[in-house]
Amino acid sequence: MKRIAIDMDEVMADFTKKFISLYNTDYQEAITLEDLHGKKLRELRPERAEALRNYLVDPGYFRDLEVMPDAQAVIKELSGKYEVYIATAAMHFPSSFTAKYEWLQEHFPFLDDQHFVFCGDKSVIKADYLIDDNVYQLERFTGEGILYTAPHNVHTTEYTRVNNWQEVRSYFLD
Ligand SMILES: [Mg+2]
């Protein structure tokens, strides 16, 4: 069986929806996903970089993120034909470990928790594929990188791109 490693934030979990919503509430703004095309919120509002970072230091931040549409069904299907690993870069926010683990157990109970990898640099991941929104991680990964579309990566052209989980399904299962 070939092995697929899957990133969590902005791939399995809708990280950005909650992030923008918290920000807009706290600062009475109306930032949209379109405003973030090609950049991160901390680049759009550099003067608030520290406050933005503090959202993520909150141990509960990652616990109630929405699951990306179709992620559960497609990952379940993938796990019949591939060895599925979850590879999440958690070292910037170590306080997120427990919430991320519980989130995976709640929404993806069919996955083996021995296949959860909380890592830093993903060059250490030995898999045939890595599905990730982060170009930095794909550059270091030695297998085939699949770029999952997120507002900040829309201008990247170097990788096979998937825009949603149905496209992941087509790529790996058709
Ligand atoms: Mg990510």
Side-chain angles (χ1 to χ4, degrees), residues 66-136:
E66 286 179 29
V67 181
M68 288 293 211
D70 303 322
Q72 285 147 312
V74 175
I75 291 175
K76 190 164 198 173
E77 214 180 333
L78 284 176
S79 60
K81 299 222 166 100
Y82 295 86
E83 241 183 10
V84 172
Y85 277 73
I86 307 307
T88 183
M91 294 311 141
H92 290 302
F93 302 100
S95 52
S96 69
F97 288 171
T98 303
K100 286 187 162 192
Y101 180 81
E102 288 175 355
W103 187 92
L104 284 168
Q105 289 211 310
E106 179 185 348
H107 299 291
F108 296 85
F110 52 88
L111 291 175
D112 179 353
D113 69 358
Q114 297 302 310
H115 287 199
F116 299 168
V117 184
F118 289 84
C119 60
D121 177 347
K122 293 183 188 175
S123 65
V124 74
I125 302 293
K126 187 182 164 203
D128 297 286
Y129 304 93
L130 171 64
I131 306 171
D132 208 304
D133 64 292
N134 190 331
V135 174
Y136 173 90

Side-chain angles (χ1 to χ4, degrees), residues 10 13-21 33 36 61 65 150-151:
E10 297 186 83
D14 197 340
F15 172 94
T16 308
K17 184 189 265 183
K18 180 172 176 181
F19 201 59
I20 296 180
S21 158
L33 288 177
L36 296 180
Y61 181 84
L65 297 182

